[in-house]
Amino acid sequence: MRDSHRHLKGARPIADNLTNTAENRCLDFILGLAATAPTTPLQVALVTANGDDTTAGTEVTGGSYARQDLSVGAAVAGATSNSADLVWTGMPAATVVGVEIWDNAGTPVRLWYGPLSASRTVAAGDELRLTAGSLTLSLA
Protein backbone atom coordinates (compact mmCIF):
# COMPACT_ATOMS: atom_id res chain seq x y z
CA MET A 1 0.00 0.00 0.00
CA ARG A 2 1.34 3.41 -0.97
CA ASP A 3 1.68 6.13 1.68
CA SER A 4 -0.40 9.03 0.39
CA HIS A 5 0.67 11.43 3.14
CA ARG A 6 4.04 13.11 2.70
CA HIS A 7 5.26 14.99 5.74
CA LEU A 8 7.93 17.64 5.47
CA LYS A 9 9.50 17.11 8.86
CA GLY A 10 12.65 19.03 9.54
CA ALA A 11 12.22 21.32 6.55
CA ARG A 12 15.32 23.37 5.93
CA PRO A 13 15.35 26.76 7.67
CA ILE A 14 15.10 29.63 5.24
CA ALA A 15 17.41 32.00 7.00
CA ASP A 16 18.27 35.22 5.27
CA ASN A 17 16.58 34.16 2.02
CA LEU A 18 14.56 37.33 1.66
CA THR A 19 13.94 38.46 -1.86
CA ASN A 20 15.52 41.77 -2.90
CA THR A 21 12.05 43.36 -2.69
CA ALA A 22 11.54 42.12 0.89
CA GLU A 23 15.02 43.29 1.93
CA ASN A 24 14.27 46.79 0.64
CA ARG A 25 10.88 46.84 2.36
CA CYS A 26 12.43 45.74 5.68
CA LEU A 27 15.09 48.44 5.52
CA ASP A 28 12.53 51.11 4.60
CA PHE A 29 10.32 50.04 7.52
CA ILE A 30 13.16 49.92 10.08
CA LEU A 31 14.49 53.30 8.93
CA GLY A 32 11.05 54.89 9.15
CA LEU A 33 10.78 55.46 5.40
CA ALA A 34 7.65 53.33 5.06
CA ALA A 35 4.94 52.17 7.43
CA THR A 36 3.34 49.53 5.24
CA ALA A 37 3.49 45.89 6.16
CA PRO A 38 2.85 43.10 3.66
CA THR A 39 -0.80 42.29 2.95
CA THR A 40 -1.80 39.36 5.15
CA PRO A 41 -2.33 36.51 5.44
CA LEU A 42 1.06 35.54 4.07
CA GLN A 43 0.89 32.37 1.99
CA VAL A 44 3.25 29.45 1.43
CA ALA A 45 3.74 28.19 -2.11
CA LEU A 46 5.42 24.93 -3.12
CA VAL A 47 7.91 24.96 -5.99
CA THR A 48 9.32 22.33 -8.32
CA ALA A 49 12.33 24.51 -9.21
CA ASN A 50 13.82 26.99 -6.76
CA GLY A 51 14.05 30.70 -7.49
CA ASP A 52 16.56 33.24 -6.24
CA ASP A 53 16.62 36.82 -4.91
CA THR A 54 15.06 38.23 -8.08
CA THR A 55 13.29 35.35 -9.85
CA ALA A 56 10.40 33.26 -8.55
CA GLY A 57 10.66 29.48 -8.60
CA THR A 58 8.35 27.25 -10.63
CA GLU A 59 5.19 26.89 -8.56
CA VAL A 60 3.28 23.61 -8.41
CA THR A 61 0.13 23.63 -10.55
CA GLY A 62 -2.73 21.22 -11.05
CA GLY A 63 -4.76 18.91 -8.88
CA SER A 64 -6.31 20.76 -5.94
CA TYR A 65 -3.06 22.60 -5.18
CA ALA A 66 -3.43 26.09 -3.71
CA ARG A 67 -1.15 28.27 -1.60
CA GLN A 68 -1.68 27.84 2.13
CA ASP A 69 -2.03 30.62 4.73
CA LEU A 70 0.97 30.93 7.06
CA SER A 71 0.56 31.52 10.77
CA VAL A 72 3.60 32.17 12.95
CA GLY A 73 4.39 33.05 16.54
CA ALA A 74 6.25 36.16 17.62
CA ALA A 75 9.94 36.11 16.75
CA VAL A 76 12.46 35.20 19.44
CA ALA A 77 16.21 35.71 18.94
CA GLY A 78 15.62 36.77 15.33
CA ALA A 79 13.62 33.69 14.29
CA THR A 80 10.12 32.26 14.13
CA SER A 81 8.41 29.24 12.60
CA ASN A 82 5.03 28.08 11.38
CA SER A 83 2.70 27.67 14.35
CA ALA A 84 0.26 25.35 12.57
CA ASP A 85 0.58 22.51 10.09
CA LEU A 86 0.46 23.54 6.43
CA VAL A 87 -1.49 20.94 4.43
CA TRP A 88 -1.87 20.61 0.69
CA THR A 89 -4.45 18.01 -0.35
CA GLY A 90 -5.17 16.57 -3.78
CA MET A 91 -1.63 17.29 -4.99
CA PRO A 92 -0.72 16.75 -8.64
CA ALA A 93 2.15 14.37 -9.38
CA ALA A 94 5.24 16.49 -8.67
CA THR A 95 8.63 16.68 -7.02
CA VAL A 96 8.61 19.58 -4.56
CA VAL A 97 12.07 21.08 -3.99
CA GLY A 98 11.33 24.28 -2.07
CA VAL A 99 8.89 26.81 -0.66
CA GLU A 100 8.21 30.48 -1.20
CA ILE A 101 6.30 32.95 0.96
CA TRP A 102 4.09 35.52 -0.75
CA ASP A 103 1.93 38.30 0.59
CA ASN A 104 -1.76 38.41 -0.26
CA ALA A 105 -1.97 41.69 -2.17
CA GLY A 106 -4.05 42.07 -5.34
CA THR A 107 -0.76 41.56 -7.16
CA PRO A 108 1.06 39.28 -4.69
CA VAL A 109 4.66 40.07 -3.76
CA ARG A 110 7.17 37.24 -3.21
CA LEU A 111 8.97 37.85 0.07
CA TRP A 112 10.93 34.73 1.00
CA TYR A 113 12.20 31.58 -0.68
CA GLY A 114 14.21 28.50 0.19
CA PRO A 115 14.94 24.89 -0.67
CA LEU A 116 13.69 21.93 1.34
CA SER A 117 16.30 19.86 3.17
CA ALA A 118 15.25 17.00 0.86
CA SER A 119 12.92 17.09 -2.12
CA ARG A 120 9.56 15.32 -1.77
CA THR A 121 7.92 13.38 -4.60
CA VAL A 122 4.14 13.08 -4.46
CA ALA A 123 1.74 11.15 -6.66
CA ALA A 124 -1.51 12.59 -8.00
CA GLY A 125 -4.03 12.85 -5.17
CA ASP A 126 -1.43 12.72 -2.36
CA GLU A 127 -1.42 15.03 0.64
CA LEU A 128 1.72 16.95 1.51
CA ARG A 129 2.11 18.31 5.05
CA LEU A 130 4.59 20.76 6.52
CA THR A 131 4.32 20.16 10.26
CA ALA A 132 4.10 23.00 12.78
CA GLY A 133 7.54 24.29 13.73
CA SER A 134 9.31 22.82 10.73
CA LEU A 135 9.46 25.96 8.58
CA THR A 136 11.91 28.31 10.30
CA LEU A 137 12.20 31.93 9.22
CA SER A 138 15.06 34.05 10.49
CA LEU A 139 17.05 37.18 9.90
CA ALA A 140 20.59 36.11 10.58
Side-chain angles (χ1 to χ4, degrees):
M1 174 181 249
R2 177 173 64 80
D3 177 11
S4 65
H5 300 286
R6 306 288 184 204
H7 296 279
L8 299 179
K9 294 179 182 172
R12 182 177 179 165
I14 48 179
D16 207 19
N17 281 6
L18 290 172
T19 65
N20 289 343
T21 299
E23 290 169 350
N24 291 336
R25 287 183 177 200
C26 286
L27 284 172
D28 288 348
F29 181 78
I30 290 168
L31 297 172
L33 300 173
T36 339
T39 304
T40 57
L42 298 183
Q43 296 188 313
V44 179
L46 301 175
V47 295
T48 58
N50 286 306
D52 57 29
D53 280 357
T54 58
T55 306
T58 304
E59 189 168 0
V60 169
T61 59
S64 298
Y65 170 81
R67 293 177 182 175
Q68 297 298 303
D69 291 351
L70 174 65
S71 54
V72 296
V76 175
T80 188
S81 64
N82 58 312
S83 58
D85 287 1
L86 295 159
V87 182
W88 292 266
T89 58
M91 288 288 293
T95 298
V96 178
V97 300
V99 296
E100 294 185 342
I101 298 175
W102 293 72
D103 81 351
N104 205 13
T107 301
V109 175
R110 187 174 67 105
L111 301 169
W112 229 305
Y113 65 95
L116 299 177
S117 57
S119 61
R120 302 294 195 265
T121 300
V122 293
D126 279 0
E127 173 185 283
L128 192 139
R129 180 180 301 265
L130 182 68
T131 56
S134 63
L135 176 62
T136 302
L137 308 168
S138 69
L139 298 176

